[in-house]
Amino acid sequence: MGENIKNISKEQIVAAAAKLFKQKGYTSSSMRDIAAALNIEAASLYHHIKNKEEILDIICFDMAKRFSGAIAEVNDIYFNAEEKLRKAILHHVEIITEDIDKSAVFLREWRSLPENSLQDFMLLRNQYETEFTRIVENGIEEDVFEAVDKKFAVLSILSSVNWINEWYQADGKMKPQEIAQRISDFVMGGLRKKLVTDPHYRP
Amino acid sequence: MGENIKNISKEQIVAAAAKLFKQKGYTSSSMRDIAAALNIEAASLYHHIKNKEEILDIICFDMAKRFSGAIAEVNDIYFNAEEKLRKAILHHVEIITEDIDKSAVFLREWRSLPENSLQDFMLLRNQYETEFTRIVENGIEEDVFEAVDKKFAVLSILSSVNWINEWYQADGKMKPQEIAQRISDFVMGGLRKKLVTDPHYRP
DNA sequence: AAATTTGCCTAACAATTGTTAGTCGGATGG
DNA sequence: CCATCCGACTAACAATTGTTAGGCAAATTT
């Protein structure tokens, strides 16, 4: 093929779109913007994708599946509640930092999904939240966690890990593992200093 | 004045816009949408406001000023670090729940501010974050807080309180004070159960 | 070698966008 | 009572939007 053939892949389109969606938002990013980022014309995009909504759909559900898969894995393998929660947080942080563009879209732009997809998406999101809650639940039953408001604790934890997306930079000093560790430590121990006088106090 | 005179105020426009901006986002809400919500024509809006950007500007900076004012007040009055942090969290929660529409716009839509305003806005946001960090800093110096990564702890706290905006409903069961209390408790104590055998342990 | 498919292009469309111009009746102030 | 102003209106604009039609050359298949 000639000089005009660039053999753009669907994944390239999705990646370029995700980058733009993160920068300017879904509705403010035009098909021409996406095309320009790939050095092609807007019409050419339609040889690879159905329409603009499909791009958002792919990004949101691709990310949703990654999260679902991770929490399922954790719930299958690890036993202890604290360990489970730490692994769940770690995986969450890894997925977010792995692709900040797509996870930004997943976190911010899902509201622009067409109504039909929107319902499916929110269902997946709720399921993920429920799985997370179950871990905290287990911890309370096993008497290793305080009997806090489960739903509330989970919302706090998830908001903390999701917020990473706002400040994380791949070239930064902090590795995903360190971030996950600090969040986990904070979630477990809190801010207040433990004034321990008993040598038998643990942990 | 005749039947066509509805005497719409600037505040009414801003409130209607905030509601729409929360629902559909800034760029997906048209001037005609805003006008329709007020039962007037799009052109009529321009007798009260300069342009669409001004509406976003008003919402974002109005909210920013409320937050700045609250943290300044806390830093002026309260002495103890834990008390300071609790009050700061309480005020933050109150401001967010007081007007969920505007705070949703403040939290999500500020990216659409014109470049000039955007810089000012981010400056205010950073100042607020700094004030918050100072409280945690004090707590560590006073030896009542664990020597955690300050910046990191603050990001976790702020993300938790901001997330309220996603699920809070004014008609819900939880009052702002309760929410603030639970967040504060979680922030202070964390999730892990304190196994205390010493009766002198506190708290 | 012929026929088809692939991957891009140009051109154009209808709809929607923010915004401006100009109008007009009623309220207000001298 | 006259002049001005206020607060809405209709009409229109230029630009931008997502998307489609149709073409054309290179690559692939038959």
Side-chain angles (χ1 to χ4, degrees):
Chain A
M1 287 185 179
E3 42 186 318
N4 267 351
I5 306 301
K6 291 135 192 170
N7 264 310
I8 302 288
S9 70
K10 199 165 179 174
E11 172 51 33
Q12 274 179 288
I13 293 176
V14 170
K19 189 173 176 183
L20 278 166
F21 292 172
K22 181 188 177 169
Q23 277 173 24
K24 324 200 304 172
Y26 174 73
T27 31
S28 298
S29 308
S30 72
M31 295 299 272
R32 284 166 182 84
D33 289 337
I34 300 171
L38 297 162
N39 265 309
I40 62 175
E41 295 297 317
S44 308
L45 292 169
Y46 290 86
H47 277 264
H48 302 90
I49 53 146
K50 208 172 116 269
N51 50 32
K52 194 187 176 188
E53 280 180 350
E54 200 205 352
I55 304 180
L56 184 60
D57 225 85
I58 291 174
I59 298 174
C60 289
F61 283 93
D62 178 46
M63 292 305 298
K65 276 168 204 159
R66 291 194 214 181
F67 285 113
S68 299
I71 196 88
E73 190 191 327
V74 167
N75 266 329
D76 274 4
I77 299 182
Y78 301 95
F79 184 71
N80 174 272
E82 176 165 344
E83 196 182 4
K84 254 189 187 171
L85 188 54
R86 283 181 180 273
K87 290 287 181 189
I89 289 172
L90 173 61
H91 283 158
H92 193 108
V93 173
E94 281 175 343
I95 292 169
I96 281 196
T97 54
E98 210 164 79
D99 195 328
I100 27 167
D101 292 339
K102 284 185 190 173
S103 44
V105 176
F106 168 83
L107 290 169
R108 298 183 205 150
E109 303 296 330
W110 57 269
R111 275 170 248 264
S112 298
L113 283 169
E115 191 143 9
N116 196 10
S117 304
L118 191 59
Q119 290 180 348
D120 296 348
F121 180 83
M122 280 167 37
L123 196 72
L124 286 176
R125 220 154 134 273
N126 285 343
Q127 283 172 0
Y128 183 71
E129 200 178 296
T130 304
E131 298 274 2
F132 236 94
T133 310
R134 193 139 50 186
I135 298 179
V136 174
E137 220 165 43
N138 287 346
I140 297 173
E141 285 166 10
E142 294 171 16
D143 219 43
V144 291
F145 289 168
E146 293 280 2
V148 295
D149 186 326
K150 295 167 293 191
K151 206 161 170 61
F152 200 87
V154 170
L155 288 173
S156 289
I157 296 170
L158 286 180
S159 65
S160 292
V161 281
N162 287 337
W163 195 253
I164 294 167
N165 187 81
E166 303 288 327
W167 53 264
Y168 180 78
Q169 279 161 330
D171 56 348
K173 312 153 213 160
M174 264 193 168
K175 295 267 164 289
Q177 286 82 355
E178 297 178 74
I179 296 172
Q181 171 122 15
R182 299 209 192 192
I183 289 191
S184 296
D185 288 348
F186 186 69
V187 164
M188 296 298 169
L191 206 51
R192 192 193 291 117
K193 194 144 190 172
K194 285 86 198 166
L195 301 173
V196 183
T197 50
D198 182 0
H200 297 101
Y201 174 80
R202 63 187 168 89
Chain B
M1 289 182 177
E3 41 187 319
N4 267 350
I5 305 301
K6 292 135 191 170
N7 264 309
I8 303 287
S9 70
K10 199 164 180 175
E11 173 52 33
Q12 274 178 289
I13 293 176
V14 170
K19 190 173 177 182
L20 278 167
F21 292 171
K22 180 185 177 172
Q23 277 173 25
K24 326 201 304 173
Y26 174 74
T27 30
S28 297
S29 308
S30 72
M31 294 300 273
R32 285 167 181 82
D33 290 336
I34 300 171
L38 296 162
N39 266 308
I40 60 174
E41 294 299 316
S44 308
L45 293 168
Y46 289 87
H47 276 265
H48 303 89
I49 52 145
K50 212 173 113 264
N51 50 32
K52 194 186 175 187
E53 280 179 350
E54 199 205 352
I55 303 180
L56 184 61
D57 225 85
I58 290 174
I59 298 174
C60 289
F61 283 93
D62 178 45
M63 291 305 298
K65 276 168 204 158
R66 291 195 214 181
F67 284 113
S68 299
I71 196 89
E73 189 192 328
V74 167
N75 265 329
D76 273 5
I77 299 182
Y78 301 95
F79 183 71
N80 174 274
E82 176 167 341
E83 194 182 7
K84 253 189 189 173
L85 188 55
R86 282 181 180 273
K87 290 287 181 191
I89 289 172
L90 173 61
H91 283 158
H92 193 108
V93 173
E94 281 175 342
I95 292 169
I96 281 196
T97 53
E98 208 164 79
D99 195 328
I100 27 167
D101 291 339
K102 285 186 190 172
S103 45
V105 176
F106 168 84
L107 290 169
R108 301 183 202 148
E109 304 296 331
W110 57 270
R111 277 170 247 267
S112 298
L113 283 169
E115 190 142 12
N116 195 10
S117 304
L118 191 60
Q119 290 180 348
D120 296 348
F121 180 83
M122 281 167 37
L123 196 71
L124 286 176
R125 222 156 132 272
N126 286 342
Q127 283 173 358
Y128 184 70
E129 198 178 299
T130 304
E131 298 274 3
F132 236 94
T133 309
R134 193 139 50 187
I135 298 178
V136 174
E137 220 165 45
N138 288 346
I140 297 173
E141 286 166 10
E142 294 172 15
D143 219 41
V144 291
F145 288 167
E146 293 282 0
V148 296
D149 186 325
K150 293 166 297 194
K151 207 166 170 56
F152 200 87
V154 169
L155 288 174
S156 289
I157 296 169
L158 286 179
S159 66
S160 293
V161 282
N162 286 337
W163 194 255
I164 294 168
N165 187 81
E166 302 288 329
W167 54 265
Y168 179 78
Q169 279 161 332
D171 56 347
K173 314 154 213 159
M174 263 192 167
K175 296 267 162 291
Q177 286 83 355
E178 297 179 72
I179 297 172
Q181 171 123 13
R182 298 209 192 192
I183 289 190
S184 295
D185 288 348
F186 187 69
V187 164
M188 296 298 169
L191 206 50
R192 191 192 292 116
K193 194 143 189 173
K194 285 86 195 167
L195 301 173
V196 183
T197 50
D198 183 358
H200 296 100
Y201 172 78
R202 64 181 169 94

